[in-house]
Amino acid sequence: MTGLCRAVVVGVLALLAGCTSTAILTSPSTARKPDCSTTNAVPWQAVVPGVWVWQPGSVGEISTANAGHVVPTSVVVSGSEALVIDPGPSHRHGLRVRDSLACRFGAQVRAVINTHAHAENVLANSAFADALAAGQLDILANEGTRSAMQQRCPACLASLSERAGEDAMAGTRIVWPSRVLQAGEVLRIGAHRLRVLPPAPGHTESDLVLWDETTRVVWAGGLVYDRRLPELAQGGVDAWLSALDRIAALQPRHAIGNAVSSAEGSQTLPPAMVATRAYLVDLRAAVLKAMDEGRYAGESGAIDMPAYKDWPGYDQRQGFNLQRAWREMEPVWMERSPATR
């Protein structure tokens, strides 16, 4: 280490933004004993070497059948170290992630990252609370996500427990991020370098995006869906489209968000990115067309988008998305000249 970088690095996971923080490893003897039974195993799928995802069993909405597991959990593994991104919906889910990493890979979790403040992504922080208290790991998020979690997580825990079932959520408690990530930081684990990009307020008010240039993997938080209706939630149409355009400029081959998608052959982008953008473009156009036709806000629910009716979540979210898009597009429509309306 030079005089400019006085951090002590133990193990392979370190934060490189000015070397202001590190992951300090404690004795493995303090770790809980993992459950290595076959019933507790996780069906990890490789994206690129060292990057693995646990995908939901099927595409759908939160229910007791899926125990709230509707978005992927991903991990980066190098040797005996692991980084978990969006740990999942519950304490039980998080424990399976943690145990599987120990049993299958012989790896201990050194950091957990929350990309955005939605319950199905972050409530599994609970499973890492003891390691956090012991100084074995950090739970990381950007400032916007941490603030939003503090505002919404109590209500989200109650809502998710109602939809996923009390049994699935047993033992789950809210655990806040312990450190705020800054744009420009780089998370290093083995050969992987995950750069923290500026917040992308599209799906939520502060989606976290991580970019690994070497493997061309982008972690896009809630900004990427695959044939499951996107949710505007706390974000906006134009901000989301801008975020996708910035991500596309990186030319990723693999995107991990609310879906996992990889470009194949001559495809220039992961198909889920293309599909998400197409829906948002069509939503924007449909709302502006309705305004051109003289409809008013109360009629937004009557706007039909038949190309997306078979996507899971259409019945639950399309009306909400139309209302949010309408409010956002009103000033856009008003600023357009009559000739372009």
Side-chain angles (χ1 to χ4, degrees):
M1 292 289 179
T2 68
L4 296 175
C5 178
R6 297 185 57 84
V8 177
V9 181
V10 183
V12 296
L13 174 61
L15 305 181
L16 302 182
C19 294
T20 57
S21 181
T22 60
I24 304 299
L25 310 189
T26 58
S27 169
S29 64
T30 64
R32 59 181 289 277
K33 183 176 176 60
D35 176 1
C36 294
S37 64
T38 56
T39 57
N40 200 47
V42 168
W44 295 110
Q45 299 173 332
V47 179
V48 297
V51 177
W52 302 79
V53 293
W54 179 13
Q55 300 223 54
S58 60
V59 178
E61 299 304 291
I62 293 170
S63 68
T64 55
N66 58 37
H69 184 198
V70 294
V71 297
T73 295
S74 64
V75 297
V76 183
V77 181
S78 179
S80 62
E81 308 264 312
L83 172 70
V84 177
I85 302 171
D86 285 337
S90 67
H91 187 81
R92 181 178 298 174
H93 184 99
L95 286 181
R96 283 189 67 186
V97 170
R98 187 174 169 182
D99 289 349
S100 179
L101 288 169
C103 299
R104 177 169 175 174
F105 300 103
Q108 293 185 4
V109 177
R110 299 310 182 197
V112 175
I113 299 178
N114 298 152
T115 65
H116 61 290
H118 281 177
E120 60 269 32
N121 296 82
V122 306
L123 288 181
N125 285 358
S126 175
F128 303 91
D130 62 326
L132 176 65
Q136 296 177 336
L137 56 76
D138 277 319
I139 298 178
L140 310 172
N142 63 29
E143 180 57 47
T145 291
R146 185 169 73 168
S147 176
M149 287 176 66
Q150 291 169 340
Q151 294 173 26
R152 297 198 296 268
C153 273
C156 288
L157 175 56
S159 174
L160 191 57
S161 297
E162 181 179 347
R163 290 179 291 158
E166 294 289 343
D167 182 61
M169 300 300 293
T172 304
R173 62 186 179 90
I174 298 167
V175 177
W176 309 120
S178 58
R179 196 178 78 76
V180 171
L181 288 170
Q182 303 295 333
E185 286 192 45
V186 176
L187 306 179
R188 183 182 70 196
I189 179 166
H192 298 274
R193 305 290 187 271
L194 278 62
R195 182 171 297 278
V196 179
L197 301 185
H203 171 59
T204 67
E205 59 273 84
S206 190
D207 292 270
L208 174 67
V209 179
L210 300 169
W211 170 236
D212 185 355
E213 184 174 8
T214 301
T215 61
R216 311 209 71 78
V217 177
V218 65
W219 282 265
L223 296 168
V224 174
Y225 283 72
D226 190 9
R227 298 193 61 81
R228 177 171 172 249
L229 201 80
E231 180 183 2
L232 282 173
Q234 298 80 30
V237 176
D238 283 350
W240 197 333
L241 287 169
S242 294
L244 289 174
D245 288 345
R246 291 195 299 274
I247 293 171
L250 299 171
Q251 298 183 317
R253 298 297 293 172
H254 313 276
I256 302 174
N258 278 355
V260 180
S261 183
S262 296
E264 303 287 348
S266 62
Q267 293 175 333
T268 57
L269 289 171
M273 284 185 59
V274 177
T276 302
R277 192 181 195 284
Y279 168 76
L280 294 169
V281 168
D282 289 349
L283 175 67
R284 190 182 195 278
V287 169
L288 289 173
K289 181 174 182 291
M291 292 176 178
D292 289 342
E293 293 171 349
R295 296 189 185 183
Y296 58 91
E299 296 178 293
S300 62
I303 298 173
D304 194 29
M305 295 180 63
Y308 304 98
K309 280 189 173 181
D310 65 338
W311 286 19
Y314 186 92
D315 292 339
Q316 294 88 345
R317 290 193 291 278
Q318 177 65 2
F320 174 82
N321 286 352
L322 285 165
Q323 291 173 14
R324 285 193 65 89
W326 190 285
R327 289 197 298 271
E328 182 182 347
M329 290 299 107
E330 277 185 325
V332 174
W333 185 83
M334 293 295 293
E335 290 174 4
R336 292 165 60 185
S337 66
T340 61
R341 291 179 185 171

